[in-house]
Amino acid sequence: MGFATYAEVLKNPVVRRILLLGMFIRVPLWAAGVVITLHVVTHLGRSYTEAGLVSTIVAVALSVSSPWRGRRLDRVGLRATVLPSIVIGAVAWSIAPWLSYWPLVVVAGVASLFAVPSFSIIRQVLIGHVPDRQRTTVLSVDSVATELTFLVGPVLGVLAATYLPTPVALLICQLSVVGGAIMLWIANPPLNSQHSDLSAGKVSVRSWMTPSVVMVLVIAVTSTVILTGEDLSTVAALRDWDQTTAIGWTLALWGAGSAIGGIVYGALHRHPSAAALLVGLAGTTALVALAPDGNLFWFALLLTLSGVFCAPTITATVDDLSRSVPASVRGEAMGWHGSALTFGSAVGAPIIGLALDHGGWSWGFALAGLMGLVIALPGLALTRRGRAAAGAPTVEEAVALGDAQQATEAPLGI
């Protein structure tokens, strides 16, 4: 393993700055997600179902906007893309906390359509400013940083909603996201290095949306379906066992396993494909269903083991995708990746919820794992075929030559 590569990556000033900026945006973003639910339920006196509808509208809006905002990044650059997000976000979220339920739904949806494409920006900057051999490592660092913000953000959101009126807490969280976007606009980090090959220019989606790219996006969707399934099934299991006080630390162990897995994955000299890691994630998720009923020790142990594959699988989808598309459309591709993750979370909740209602917590884990294995098998076959074609021209070369036949055969994750 090459843990020394992490030291090399973190010596890069561009990497350090963009990771720090990412933290400033992501922590209040995760906090706002919790606060808006509490705001709808407590301040507006609505049900959790109605609070869930707001989250669904926001998720759909983000799924629609991510590729579009990513395409804007590719074509007009960071500042021209982020400025409308800053203006619309500041206006919308200054008004939204004081609105009644249905106007809040509309304003939240509109604001989400113009959300800052922070994940696309951060990953583009990271990929564009490290050598190819450090790409997986720097993406693993970003994955672990995201895990940390996801652990910290909701806690701060709950604290803010507890000690402040929820409209004020929501205002602070969302304007903090806008503040992070302003810092990003001022910093204006270059999305690509001077060595990036942008010769492909503006190309249509059809020229780079190859079977390999589609499979990576399907794996990303499936990964978040599994993660949503693990989250919901964990809560269901511990509620069944009257162990609700253990929910927090059990999920924390799951997150810690994910962070450890991400660090180890980034240090490997040879990296498994996203499809191979999905097999590990799906298999260990299904394994949790075999934990003895009521045995918290074995349940937490198996859940932590499954967590080891979480961050590496998501990181691998970003890595494989970034190597499968031209640099000139990387922002749009990362937008599609963000939509895939959001879509997986949105569809995962009702699917796993159905399993929990009919079969209990073990069915939730079993279904999530089975779905992952079904998707991973064709992914593995496509990956092997791509790696067998290692001598073929890259996607960027094929698109630059206008050879659609070669572009569809470009190798995945090479």
Side-chain angles (χ1 to χ4, degrees):
M1 291 189 186
F3 286 102
T5 310
Y6 282 105
E8 296 176 27
V9 164
L10 293 174
K11 286 179 183 177
N12 187 320
V14 176
V15 170
R16 291 200 304 271
R17 282 197 295 270
I18 195 63
L19 287 174
L20 186 60
L21 284 170
M23 299 280 281
F24 278 116
I25 294 175
R26 287 167 174 170
V27 168
L29 189 64
W30 301 132
V34 174
V35 172
I36 198 167
T37 297
L38 296 175
H39 174 71
V40 170
V41 172
T42 60
H43 184 77
L44 298 181
R46 297 284 183 150
S47 67
Y48 279 102
T49 301
E50 290 170 306
L53 177 61
V54 179
S55 299
T56 300
I57 294 295
V58 168
V60 170
L62 289 173
S63 295
V64 170
S65 72
S66 290
W68 163 53
R69 306 296 288 162
R71 190 181 307 119
R72 292 279 297 170
L73 281 175
D74 294 328
R75 297 184 177 179
V76 301
L78 187 149
R79 281 188 165 173
T81 302
V82 171
L83 184 59
S85 300
I86 292 172
V87 174
I88 293 173
V91 172
W93 291 113
S94 295
I95 298 171
W98 321 107
L99 298 175
S100 58
Y101 177 74
W102 286 110
L104 171 64
V105 171
V106 173
V107 172
V110 171
S112 299
L113 281 174
F114 289 89
V116 178
S118 56
F119 285 86
S120 293
I121 292 172
I122 292 166
R123 286 164 179 164
Q124 270 193 276
V125 173
L126 292 174
I127 291 169
H129 289 82
V130 297
D132 185 71
R133 63 183 177 83
Q134 294 179 354
R135 180 178 299 188
T136 305
T137 302
V138 80
L139 290 174
S140 296
V141 173
D142 179 58
S143 177
V144 173
T146 302
E147 289 277 356
L148 293 175
T149 60
F150 186 70
L151 290 174
V152 172
V155 173
L156 293 180
V158 170
L159 289 174
T162 301
Y163 292 102
L164 295 170
T166 56
V168 175
L170 182 58
L171 180 70
I172 291 172
C173 289
Q174 293 290 4
L175 291 189
S176 295
V177 176
V178 173
I182 293 172
M183 294 171 63
L184 191 61
W185 185 88
I186 293 171
N188 192 27
L191 297 175
N192 297 286
S193 73
Q194 58 182 347
H195 304 297
S196 297
D197 181 6
L198 303 176
S199 59
K202 297 176 183 177
V203 295
S204 65
V205 175
R206 287 184 298 176
S207 65
W208 58 263
M209 189 65 78
T210 64
S212 294
V213 170
V214 172
M215 180 51 67
V216 171
L217 295 176
V218 170
I219 290 172
V221 171
T222 308
S223 299
T224 49
V225 169
I226 293 175
L227 299 185
T228 301
E230 289 195 276
D231 192 359
L232 295 176
S233 300
T234 297
V235 173
L238 296 178
R239 288 187 65 186
D240 281 354
W241 303 343
D242 292 326
Q243 296 277 3
T244 53
T245 55
I247 291 175
W249 65 260
T250 304
L251 291 176
L253 282 177
W254 181 43
S258 178
I260 292 170
I263 292 170
V264 172
Y265 177 71
L268 295 175
H269 293 299
R270 291 179 60 85
H271 300 96
S273 68
L277 288 164
L278 182 61
V279 172
L281 176 62
T284 52
T285 298
L287 194 61
V288 181
L290 301 179
D293 200 46
N295 192 316
L296 193 55
F297 172 78
W298 278 106
F299 180 83
L301 182 64
L302 292 173
L303 186 66
T304 304
L305 175 63
S306 72
V308 171
F309 290 93
C310 294
T313 305
I314 300 298
T315 300
T317 60
V318 179
D319 195 4
D320 286 354
L321 182 61
S322 69
R323 298 176 190 275
S324 301
V325 301
S328 61
V329 297
R330 196 175 282 152
E332 185 176 359
M334 290 300 154
W336 280 102
H337 184 270
S339 293
L341 297 180
T342 304
F343 180 74
S345 298
V347 302
I351 291 173
I352 300 302
L354 192 64
L356 294 174
D357 288 338
H358 288 82
W361 67 268
S362 61
W363 278 36
F365 283 106
L367 178 60
L370 180 62
M371 290 174 62
L373 291 173
V374 168
I375 295 298
L377 294 178
L380 283 172
L382 189 58
T383 300
R384 283 198 298 269
R385 189 181 71 179
R387 291 187 170 181
T394 65
V395 169
E396 294 194 14
E397 292 169 342
V399 172
L401 292 170
D403 189 340
Q405 177 67 26
Q406 289 176 325
T408 58
E409 295 175 355
L412 168 65
I414 309 175

PDB file of all heavy atoms in Angstrom, residues 205-217 324-325 382 395 399 404 406-411:
ATOM      1  N   VAL A 205     -23.887  14.643 -25.723  1.00  0.00           N
ATOM      2  CA  VAL A 205     -23.952  13.594 -24.708  1.00  0.00           C
ATOM      3  C   VAL A 205     -23.855  12.217 -25.351  1.00  0.00           C
ATOM      4  O   VAL A 205     -23.195  11.311 -24.816  1.00  0.00           O
ATOM      5  CB  VAL A 205     -25.270  13.717 -23.904  1.00  0.00           C
ATOM      6  CG1 VAL A 205     -25.414  12.549 -22.933  1.00  0.00           C
ATOM      7  CG2 VAL A 205     -25.311  15.030 -23.147  1.00  0.00           C
ATOM      8  N   ARG A 206     -24.466  12.038 -26.515  1.00  0.00           N
ATOM      9  CA  ARG A 206     -24.477  10.725 -27.157  1.00  0.00           C
ATOM     10  C   ARG A 206     -23.081  10.226 -27.501  1.00  0.00           C
ATOM     11  O   ARG A 206     -22.853   9.023 -27.580  1.00  0.00           O
ATOM     12  CB  ARG A 206     -25.337  10.771 -28.418  1.00  0.00           C
ATOM     13  CG  ARG A 206     -26.836  10.833 -28.147  1.00  0.00           C
ATOM     14  CD  ARG A 206     -27.629  10.785 -29.439  1.00  0.00           C
ATOM     15  NE  ARG A 206     -27.329  11.942 -30.287  1.00  0.00           N
ATOM     16  CZ  ARG A 206     -27.832  12.105 -31.498  1.00  0.00           C
ATOM     17  NH1 ARG A 206     -28.648  11.199 -32.014  1.00  0.00           N
ATOM     18  NH2 ARG A 206     -27.529  13.180 -32.205  1.00  0.00           N
ATOM     19  N   SER A 207     -22.134  11.150 -27.726  1.00  0.00           N
ATOM     20  CA  SER A 207     -20.793  10.734 -28.120  1.00  0.00           C
ATOM     21  C   SER A 207     -19.980  10.168 -26.967  1.00  0.00           C
ATOM     22  O   SER A 207     -19.028   9.423 -27.182  1.00  0.00           O
ATOM     23  CB  SER A 207     -20.042  11.911 -28.749  1.00  0.00           C
ATOM     24  OG  SER A 207     -19.831  12.931 -27.791  1.00  0.00           O
ATOM     25  N   TRP A 208     -20.335  10.530 -25.715  1.00  0.00           N
ATOM     26  CA  TRP A 208     -19.566  10.006 -24.579  1.00  0.00           C
ATOM     27  C   TRP A 208     -20.411   9.180 -23.602  1.00  0.00           C
ATOM     28  O   TRP A 208     -19.845   8.520 -22.722  1.00  0.00           O
ATOM     29  CB  TRP A 208     -18.868  11.139 -23.824  1.00  0.00           C
ATOM     30  CG  TRP A 208     -19.767  12.216 -23.275  1.00  0.00           C
ATOM     31  CD1 TRP A 208     -20.058  13.416 -23.851  1.00  0.00           C
ATOM     32  CD2 TRP A 208     -20.475  12.209 -22.018  1.00  0.00           C
ATOM     33  NE1 TRP A 208     -20.904  14.149 -23.047  1.00  0.00           N
ATOM     34  CE2 TRP A 208     -21.163  13.434 -21.910  1.00  0.00           C
ATOM     35  CE3 TRP A 208     -20.572  11.282 -20.975  1.00  0.00           C
ATOM     36  CZ2 TRP A 208     -21.958  13.757 -20.825  1.00  0.00           C
ATOM     37  CZ3 TRP A 208     -21.360  11.594 -19.874  1.00  0.00           C
ATOM     38  CH2 TRP A 208     -22.052  12.825 -19.815  1.00  0.00           C
ATOM     39  N   MET A 209     -21.732   9.184 -23.764  1.00  0.00           N
ATOM     40  CA  MET A 209     -22.584   8.368 -22.892  1.00  0.00           C
ATOM     41  C   MET A 209     -22.580   6.936 -23.418  1.00  0.00           C
ATOM     42  O   MET A 209     -23.558   6.427 -23.973  1.00  0.00           O
ATOM     43  CB  MET A 209     -24.004   8.943 -22.842  1.00  0.00           C
ATOM     44  CG  MET A 209     -24.904   8.277 -21.791  1.00  0.00           C
ATOM     45  SD  MET A 209     -24.389   8.543 -20.084  1.00  0.00           S
ATOM     46  CE  MET A 209     -24.967  10.211 -19.757  1.00  0.00           C
ATOM     47  N   THR A 210     -21.443   6.266 -23.229  1.00  0.00           N
ATOM     48  CA  THR A 210     -21.227   4.922 -23.745  1.00  0.00           C
ATOM     49  C   THR A 210     -21.833   3.885 -22.797  1.00  0.00           C
ATOM     50  O   THR A 210     -22.217   4.214 -21.664  1.00  0.00           O
ATOM     51  CB  THR A 210     -19.720   4.661 -23.881  1.00  0.00           C
ATOM     52  OG1 THR A 210     -19.136   4.693 -22.570  1.00  0.00           O
ATOM     53  CG2 THR A 210     -19.053   5.718 -24.750  1.00  0.00           C
ATOM     54  N   PRO A 211     -21.906   2.613 -23.204  1.00  0.00           N
ATOM     55  CA  PRO A 211     -22.387   1.570 -22.289  1.00  0.00           C
ATOM     56  C   PRO A 211     -21.591   1.528 -20.982  1.00  0.00           C
ATOM     57  O   PRO A 211     -22.157   1.295 -19.911  1.00  0.00           O
ATOM     58  CB  PRO A 211     -22.209   0.287 -23.097  1.00  0.00           C
ATOM     59  CG  PRO A 211     -22.346   0.716 -24.519  1.00  0.00           C
ATOM     60  CD  PRO A 211     -21.716   2.077 -24.584  1.00  0.00           C
ATOM     61  N   SER A 212     -20.283   1.742 -21.064  1.00  0.00           N
ATOM     62  CA  SER A 212     -19.461   1.739 -19.849  1.00  0.00           C
ATOM     63  C   SER A 212     -19.859   2.865 -18.904  1.00  0.00           C
ATOM     64  O   SER A 212     -19.955   2.674 -17.689  1.00  0.00           O
ATOM     65  CB  SER A 212     -17.982   1.874 -20.212  1.00  0.00           C
ATOM     66  OG  SER A 212     -17.527   0.754 -20.919  1.00  0.00           O
ATOM     67  N   VAL A 213     -20.092   4.058 -19.457  1.00  0.00           N
ATOM     68  CA  VAL A 213     -20.494   5.200 -18.643  1.00  0.00           C
ATOM     69  C   VAL A 213     -21.864   4.951 -18.017  1.00  0.00           C
ATOM     70  O   VAL A 213     -22.080   5.215 -16.828  1.00  0.00           O
ATOM     71  CB  VAL A 213     -20.505   6.487 -19.497  1.00  0.00           C
ATOM     72  CG1 VAL A 213     -21.161   7.639 -18.737  1.00  0.00           C
ATOM     73  CG2 VAL A 213     -19.090   6.871 -19.901  1.00  0.00           C
ATOM     74  N   VAL A 214     -22.798   4.437 -18.820  1.00  0.00           N
ATOM     75  CA  VAL A 214     -24.134   4.130 -18.299  1.00  0.00           C
ATOM     76  C   VAL A 214     -24.047   3.129 -17.150  1.00  0.00           C
ATOM     77  O   VAL A 214     -24.722   3.290 -16.121  1.00  0.00           O
ATOM     78  CB  VAL A 214     -25.041   3.587 -19.429  1.00  0.00           C
ATOM     79  CG1 VAL A 214     -26.364   3.072 -18.850  1.00  0.00           C
ATOM     80  CG2 VAL A 214     -25.315   4.667 -20.460  1.00  0.00           C
ATOM     81  N   MET A 215     -23.188   2.118 -17.304  1.00  0.00           N
ATOM     82  CA  MET A 215     -23.061   1.112 -16.241  1.00  0.00           C
ATOM     83  C   MET A 215     -22.502   1.727 -14.955  1.00  0.00           C
ATOM     84  O   MET A 215     -22.939   1.400 -13.849  1.00  0.00           O
ATOM     85  CB  MET A 215     -22.171  -0.041 -16.715  1.00  0.00           C
ATOM     86  CG  MET A 215     -21.973  -1.138 -15.670  1.00  0.00           C
ATOM     87  SD  MET A 215     -23.521  -1.766 -14.935  1.00  0.00           S
ATOM     88  CE  MET A 215     -24.257  -2.582 -16.352  1.00  0.00           C
ATOM     89  N   VAL A 216     -21.538   2.636 -15.093  1.00  0.00           N
ATOM     90  CA  VAL A 216     -21.003   3.309 -13.906  1.00  0.00           C
ATOM     91  C   VAL A 216     -22.118   4.083 -13.200  1.00  0.00           C
ATOM     92  O   VAL A 216     -22.226   4.052 -11.959  1.00  0.00           O
ATOM     93  CB  VAL A 216     -19.845   4.255 -14.277  1.00  0.00           C
ATOM     94  CG1 VAL A 216     -19.442   5.107 -13.074  1.00  0.00           C
ATOM     95  CG2 VAL A 216     -18.642   3.468 -14.762  1.00  0.00           C
ATOM     96  N   LEU A 217     -22.957   4.772 -13.959  1.00  0.00           N
ATOM     97  CA  LEU A 217     -24.057   5.529 -13.364  1.00  0.00           C
ATOM     98  C   LEU A 217     -25.085   4.603 -12.706  1.00  0.00           C
ATOM     99  O   LEU A 217     -25.616   4.918 -11.635  1.00  0.00           O
ATOM    100  CB  LEU A 217     -24.731   6.395 -14.432  1.00  0.00           C
ATOM    101  CG  LEU A 217     -23.860   7.505 -15.033  1.00  0.00           C
ATOM    102  CD1 LEU A 217     -24.606   8.224 -16.152  1.00  0.00           C
ATOM    103  CD2 LEU A 217     -23.428   8.498 -13.962  1.00  0.00           C
ATOM    104  N   SER A 324     -13.520   7.735 -18.127  1.00  0.00           N
ATOM    105  CA  SER A 324     -14.297   7.250 -19.265  1.00  0.00           C
ATOM    106  C   SER A 324     -14.881   8.355 -20.122  1.00  0.00           C
ATOM    107  O   SER A 324     -15.575   8.082 -21.099  1.00  0.00           O
ATOM    108  CB  SER A 324     -15.438   6.339 -18.772  1.00  0.00           C
ATOM    109  OG  SER A 324     -14.927   5.245 -18.046  1.00  0.00           O
ATOM    110  N   VAL A 325     -14.654   9.623 -19.738  1.00  0.00           N
ATOM    111  CA  VAL A 325     -15.200  10.750 -20.504  1.00  0.00           C
ATOM    112  C   VAL A 325     -14.091  11.756 -20.789  1.00  0.00           C
ATOM    113  O   VAL A 325     -13.095  11.823 -20.069  1.00  0.00           O
ATOM    114  CB  VAL A 325     -16.342  11.455 -19.734  1.00  0.00           C
ATOM    115  CG1 VAL A 325     -17.471  10.485 -19.434  1.00  0.00           C
ATOM    116  CG2 VAL A 325     -15.832  12.095 -18.448  1.00  0.00           C
ATOM    117  N   LEU A 382     -18.865  -6.210 -18.136  1.00  0.00           N
ATOM    118  CA  LEU A 382     -18.502  -5.063 -18.956  1.00  0.00           C
ATOM    119  C   LEU A 382     -17.119  -4.542 -18.590  1.00  0.00           C
ATOM    120  O   LEU A 382     -16.335  -4.144 -19.458  1.00  0.00           O
ATOM    121  CB  LEU A 382     -19.540  -3.956 -18.781  1.00  0.00           C
ATOM    122  CG  LEU A 382     -19.439  -2.749 -19.718  1.00  0.00           C
ATOM    123  CD1 LEU A 382     -19.524  -3.194 -21.177  1.00  0.00           C
ATOM    124  CD2 LEU A 382     -20.531  -1.740 -19.405  1.00  0.00           C
ATOM    125  N   VAL A 395     -11.210   7.390 -24.590  1.00  0.00           N
ATOM    126  CA  VAL A 395     -12.427   8.107 -24.966  1.00  0.00           C
ATOM    127  C   VAL A 395     -12.094   9.460 -25.567  1.00  0.00           C
ATOM    128  O   VAL A 395     -12.666   9.881 -26.560  1.00  0.00           O
ATOM    129  CB  VAL A 395     -13.340   8.275 -23.728  1.00  0.00           C
ATOM    130  CG1 VAL A 395     -14.475   9.231 -24.027  1.00  0.00           C
ATOM    131  CG2 VAL A 395     -13.890   6.928 -23.311  1.00  0.00           C
ATOM    132  N   VAL A 399     -13.277  10.567 -29.264  1.00  0.00           N
ATOM    133  CA  VAL A 399     -14.202  11.677 -29.501  1.00  0.00           C
ATOM    134  C   VAL A 399     -13.539  12.759 -30.337  1.00  0.00           C
ATOM    135  O   VAL A 399     -14.142  13.345 -31.225  1.00  0.00           O
ATOM    136  CB  VAL A 399     -14.707  12.258 -28.154  1.00  0.00           C
ATOM    137  CG1 VAL A 399     -15.514  13.520 -28.380  1.00  0.00           C
ATOM    138  CG2 VAL A 399     -15.535  11.225 -27.418  1.00  0.00           C
ATOM    139  N   ALA A 404     -17.259   7.491 -33.368  1.00  0.00           N
ATOM    140  CA  ALA A 404     -18.228   7.036 -32.363  1.00  0.00           C
ATOM    141  C   ALA A 404     -18.070   5.572 -32.058  1.00  0.00           C
ATOM    142  O   ALA A 404     -18.312   5.125 -30.934  1.00  0.00           O
ATOM    143  CB  ALA A 404     -19.655   7.306 -32.858  1.00  0.00           C
ATOM    144  N   GLN A 406     -15.281   3.801 -31.851  1.00  0.00           N
ATOM    145  CA  GLN A 406     -14.222   3.625 -30.855  1.00  0.00           C
ATOM    146  C   GLN A 406     -14.660   4.156 -29.504  1.00  0.00           C
ATOM    147  O   GLN A 406     -14.332   3.599 -28.465  1.00  0.00           O
ATOM    148  CB  GLN A 406     -12.957   4.347 -31.307  1.00  0.00           C
ATOM    149  CG  GLN A 406     -12.266   3.663 -32.491  1.00  0.00           C
ATOM    150  CD  GLN A 406     -11.070   4.463 -32.969  1.00  0.00           C
ATOM    151  OE1 GLN A 406     -11.088   5.695 -32.937  1.00  0.00           O
ATOM    152  NE2 GLN A 406     -10.051   3.771 -33.406  1.00  0.00           N
ATOM    153  N   ALA A 407     -15.429   5.244 -29.493  1.00  0.00           N
ATOM    154  CA  ALA A 407     -15.825   5.835 -28.218  1.00  0.00           C
ATOM    155  C   ALA A 407     -16.675   4.881 -27.408  1.00  0.00           C
ATOM    156  O   ALA A 407     -16.564   4.822 -26.187  1.00  0.00           O
ATOM    157  CB  ALA A 407     -16.610   7.134 -28.464  1.00  0.00           C
ATOM    158  N   THR A 408     -17.547   4.091 -28.058  1.00  0.00           N
ATOM    159  CA  THR A 408     -18.400   3.183 -27.314  1.00  0.00           C
ATOM    160  C   THR A 408     -17.634   2.001 -26.780  1.00  0.00           C
ATOM    161  O   THR A 408     -18.103   1.294 -25.897  1.00  0.00           O
ATOM    162  CB  THR A 408     -19.543   2.660 -28.210  1.00  0.00           C
ATOM    163  OG1 THR A 408     -18.979   1.996 -29.352  1.00  0.00           O
ATOM    164  CG2 THR A 408     -20.433   3.807 -28.671  1.00  0.00           C
ATOM    165  N   GLU A 409     -16.435   1.752 -27.302  1.00  0.00           N
ATOM    166  CA  GLU A 409     -15.641   0.625 -26.841  1.00  0.00           C
ATOM    167  C   GLU A 409     -14.535   1.029 -25.887  1.00  0.00           C
ATOM    168  O   GLU A 409     -13.689   0.229 -25.526  1.00  0.00           O
ATOM    169  CB  GLU A 409     -15.018  -0.096 -28.061  1.00  0.00           C
ATOM    170  CG  GLU A 409     -16.068  -0.728 -28.956  1.00  0.00           C
ATOM    171  CD  GLU A 409     -15.462  -1.334 -30.202  1.00  0.00           C
ATOM    172  OE1 GLU A 409     -14.243  -1.167 -30.403  1.00  0.00           O
ATOM    173  OE2 GLU A 409     -16.200  -1.972 -30.967  1.00  0.00           O
ATOM    174  N   ALA A 410     -14.524   2.309 -25.474  1.00  0.00           N
ATOM    175  CA  ALA A 410     -13.447   2.772 -24.594  1.00  0.00           C
ATOM    176  C   ALA A 410     -13.476   2.018 -23.288  1.00  0.00           C
ATOM    177  O   ALA A 410     -14.528   1.711 -22.750  1.00  0.00           O
ATOM    178  CB  ALA A 410     -13.622   4.269 -24.323  1.00  0.00           C
ATOM    179  N   PRO A 411     -12.310   1.692 -22.726  1.00  0.00           N
ATOM    180  CA  PRO A 411     -12.252   0.883 -21.526  1.00  0.00           C
ATOM    181  C   PRO A 411     -12.758   1.615 -20.291  1.00  0.00           C
ATOM    182  O   PRO A 411     -12.624   2.824 -20.178  1.00  0.00           O
ATOM    183  CB  PRO A 411     -10.750   0.562 -21.385  1.00  0.00           C
ATOM    184  CG  PRO A 411     -10.066   1.634 -22.156  1.00  0.00           C
ATOM    185  CD  PRO A 411     -10.983   2.010 -23.264  1.00  0.00           C
TER     186      PRO A 411
END
